[in-house]
Amino acid sequence: HALYNFCSIDLSAFYLDIVKDRLYTSFPGSKERRGAQTVMHTLVSAISRIMTPVLPFTAEEIWTYMPERQNPERKDPERNDNDKSIHMTCFPDPHESWKDYDLAKKWELLLKVRSEVTKSLENARVEKLIGHPLDAWVEVSANQAFYNILKPYENELKNIFIVSQTSLVEDDSLTEKCDDTESQGLLIQIHKAKGSKCERCWVYDTSVGDNSEHASACNRCIDVLGKIKLNE
């Protein structure tokens, strides 16, 4: 149950939901896309070994499709020459250097804010202000405590919330519980996103239409398409 909940809640409903944009739309060799691929490789390697006693045939099938099995020239420091079968491997060892309790506390708060934004987006969808989260521009007003946590992630908030645009405002008057949220010191407002929808990434952006060669694409996607063309 712990493994199932991790896959369905922590991964599918959170991490994978966020990184699919960079996996689908970023330049293949970009740091953002390669970083997400590295994390996913580590996750699949560990999860498949953890699930082996319960789902031995499924785990073995996953193992045969890992990059190292498809291309033996690739090396993985966690494996040896006897791991052609997943049943010849060991459970993954925890990486103590990856533990960051202070960062975990910050992300607990970010997840709390994300949960509140999700509720507001659903209310906006019911009211037919938006049809999809990417139709939205989310304005977050926060007291100093919330603002200090959110500010370092300001440029990533639209990816964390999976919306087209976000804005963050400090408002020290937000000390009481707000009607739209369950959190004191936080107010979330949903607006229709500015600009037009990019046909490539589906994000609304004011730059769509500026380029005559790619009139239906945003500047971010145009930049990626240019890099791909140069590498062909």
Side-chain angles (χ1 to χ4, degrees), residues 10 26 36 39 41 43 53 56 63-64 78 82 99 111-112 139 149 152 155-156 170 173-174 176 179 182 198 205:
D10 296 272
S26 297
V39 172
H41 179 276
L43 287 167
W63 201 249
T64 63
E78 293 189 1
N82 296 322
K99 295 181 179 179
L111 286 172
K112 186 176 182 180
E139 183 179 5
I149 295 293
N155 294 332
E156 293 295 326
E170 184 177 5
S173 67
L174 295 173
E176 300 298 328
D179 293 337
E182 296 180 0
C198 173
D205 196 284

Side-chain angles (χ1 to χ4, degrees), residues 10-230:
D10 296 272
L11 292 184
S12 181
F14 176 55
Y15 180 73
L16 298 179
D17 206 22
I18 292 174
V19 301
K20 66 183 179 183
D21 175 77
R22 69 190 66 179
L23 290 170
Y24 291 159
T25 66
S26 297
F27 179 66
S30 67
K31 180 176 67 175
E32 293 80 10
R33 189 172 188 273
R34 292 296 299 275
Q37 287 178 307
T38 298
V39 172
M40 292 177 69
H41 179 276
T42 301
L43 287 167
V44 173
S45 174
I47 290 173
S48 58
R49 283 180 280 168
I50 291 171
M51 68 189 285
T52 300
V54 183
L55 296 168
F57 296 106
T58 302
E60 182 73 3
E61 185 176 7
I62 293 171
W63 201 249
T64 63
Y65 283 95
M66 292 292 284
E68 295 79 11
R69 307 284 74 75
Q70 297 292 307
N71 184 357
E73 294 182 0
R74 299 183 66 165
K75 301 292 183 181
D76 186 330
E78 293 189 1
R79 301 180 187 161
N80 53 50
D81 294 335
N82 296 322
D83 65 357
K84 293 180 180 179
S85 169
I86 197 169
H87 302 290
M88 300 295 290
T89 67
C90 298
F91 281 151
D93 293 321
H95 293 264
E96 294 298 323
S97 61
W98 291 359
K99 295 181 179 179
D100 189 331
Y101 296 104
D102 291 336
L103 183 62
K105 289 181 180 179
K106 291 180 181 179
W107 272 96
E108 284 181 9
L109 188 141
L110 283 167
L111 286 172
K112 186 176 182 180
V113 175
R114 186 176 187 263
S115 177
E116 300 291 359
V117 169
T118 300
K119 293 175 187 176
S120 297
L121 288 170
E122 180 58 24
N123 290 336
R125 190 190 66 79
V126 171
E127 295 170 0
K128 301 191 183 303
L129 175 64
I130 61 171
H132 186 278
L134 286 176
D135 298 343
W137 158 35
V138 176
E139 183 179 5
V140 179
S141 299
N143 64 11
Q144 187 176 30
F146 271 110
Y147 183 84
N148 290 340
I149 295 293
L150 295 172
K151 182 61 178 177
Y153 301 93
E154 185 174 15
N155 294 332
E156 293 295 326
L157 289 179
K158 66 178 182 179
N159 298 322
I160 295 172
F161 302 154
I162 315 180
V163 296
S164 287
Q165 294 135 21
T166 56
S167 57
L168 177 63
V169 179
E170 184 177 5
D171 187 349
D172 291 331
S173 67
L174 295 173
T175 56
E176 300 298 328
K177 182 175 179 179
C178 300
D179 293 337
D180 294 339
T181 72
E182 296 180 0
S183 301
Q184 290 185 353
L186 190 67
L187 178 64
I188 297 164
Q189 295 175 293
I190 307 298
H191 310 280
K192 189 72 176 175
K194 301 176 182 178
S196 301
K197 183 178 180 179
C198 173
E199 288 189 354
R200 184 173 182 272
C201 67
W202 294 10
V203 170
Y204 282 79
D205 196 284
T206 56
S207 66
V208 175
D210 289 350
N211 188 293
S212 58
E213 185 178 356
H214 301 287
S216 61
C218 65
N219 284 344
R220 181 184 65 150
C221 284
I222 291 171
D223 182 57
V224 173
L225 292 170
K227 291 179 180 178
I228 292 174
K229 188 174 183 179
L230 288 173

